[in-house]
Amino acid sequence: MINEILGIKVSGQTILKSKNVFNILAKIRKMLKDLQPKIKSIILDSDTSVDARLQGICTLLKENVPYYNWVGYYFKNGDKEELKLGPYAGEPTDHTIIPFGKGICGQVAVSNENFVVPDVKAQDNYIACSITVKAEIVVPLFVNGENVGQIDIDSNTANPFTVEDERFLEFVNNEVAKIL
Ligand code: SME
């Protein structure tokens, strides 16, 4: 599937796919690296509100990474042990409040660690937003060492996320932390 996303046609033979793994990862790395200066320029646009800048980042990611189909921010809701939906790009979701511990997002709120889900059907503690979603990645956002929220990405592609996405989304969240 990831080959199709990146426009690399392979015959379907495993051996041929494995030869292309380095090429595929290099393409993903370049695609994500090229977005870094764009993220920085959105962050630096101090005439724009924080929410509008977060919205801009969500839209930039959704529009430029083919396997990012829903991109949103959740933040700790004041003193409550729950997450509240912030800016996002993609279909509206009913899950605007998520208790800590519930779903992938709620688990990241308490684990403070990245959560990569290659196949959402294999997760017991998962909150479905759309039947089209096959995979999810959630990366926590730290301000002064405190987990204040997270970026959440849903994919309609099976098993699309690699360590490249984790490093990239950590970069994005480090940038976002500068304006919170
Ligand atoms: N799937 C998430 C819920 C949020 S939606 O993906 C927008 C979860 O299990 O926490």
Side-chain angles (χ1 to χ4, degrees):
M1 183 62 89
I2 211 155
N3 303 309
E4 290 161 23
I5 291 167
L6 296 166
I8 298 166
K9 294 284 179 217
V10 293
S11 71
Q13 290 174 12
T14 309
I15 189 159
L16 185 56
K17 280 187 183 168
S18 70
K19 279 187 187 167
N20 277 304
V21 161
F22 287 115
N23 286 340
I24 293 161
L25 281 175
K27 285 199 175 198
I28 291 174
R29 191 177 300 131
K30 181 175 186 324
M31 174 177 68
L32 299 177
K33 196 169 197 307
D34 288 349
L35 289 172
Q36 289 189 358
K38 294 175 184 164
I39 298 282
K40 278 185 180 278
S41 94
I42 291 173
I43 293 294
L44 288 171
D45 182 11
S46 54
D47 290 340
T48 303
S49 72
V50 167
D51 268 9
R53 281 182 272 174
L54 292 182
Q55 179 67 64
I57 287 171
C58 292
T59 303
L60 178 78
L61 298 190
K62 180 179 180 295
E63 297 306 315
N64 288 279
V65 184
Y67 54 92
Y68 288 7
N69 300 111
W70 189 95
V71 181
Y73 274 93
Y74 282 95
F75 290 101
K76 186 175 193 309
N77 192 11
D79 289 339
K80 297 181 188 164
E81 297 282 290
E82 65 184 28
L83 295 164
K84 186 177 180 198
L85 182 61
Y88 66 93
E91 292 296 310
T93 174
D94 289 340
H95 305 115
T96 53
I97 298 284
I98 298 178
F100 278 18
K102 290 270 168 94
I104 307 304
C105 297
Q107 291 177 77
V108 169
V110 292
S111 74
N112 304 323
E113 287 178 1
N114 298 349
F115 200 154
V116 180
V117 182
D119 174 8
V120 295
K121 285 203 177 76
Q123 293 291 323
D124 291 335
N125 191 356
Y126 167 71
I127 302 166
C129 279
S130 155
I131 52 161
T132 61
V133 175
K134 294 198 169 95
E136 179 163 2
I137 184 170
V138 178
V139 173
L141 196 170
F142 300 98
V143 176
N144 300 324
E146 187 189 346
N147 182 350
V148 300
Q150 53 193 238
I151 189 164
D152 175 23
I153 299 180
D154 285 339
S155 182
N156 298 339
T157 298
N159 193 12
F161 301 117
T162 67
V163 70
E164 300 297 336
D165 297 283
E166 288 192 72
R167 296 295 91 81
F168 172 65
L169 296 171
E170 287 164 1
F171 163 84
V172 173
N173 279 356
N174 279 336
E175 290 297 311
V176 168
K178 295 175 184 172
I179 59 170
L180 296 180

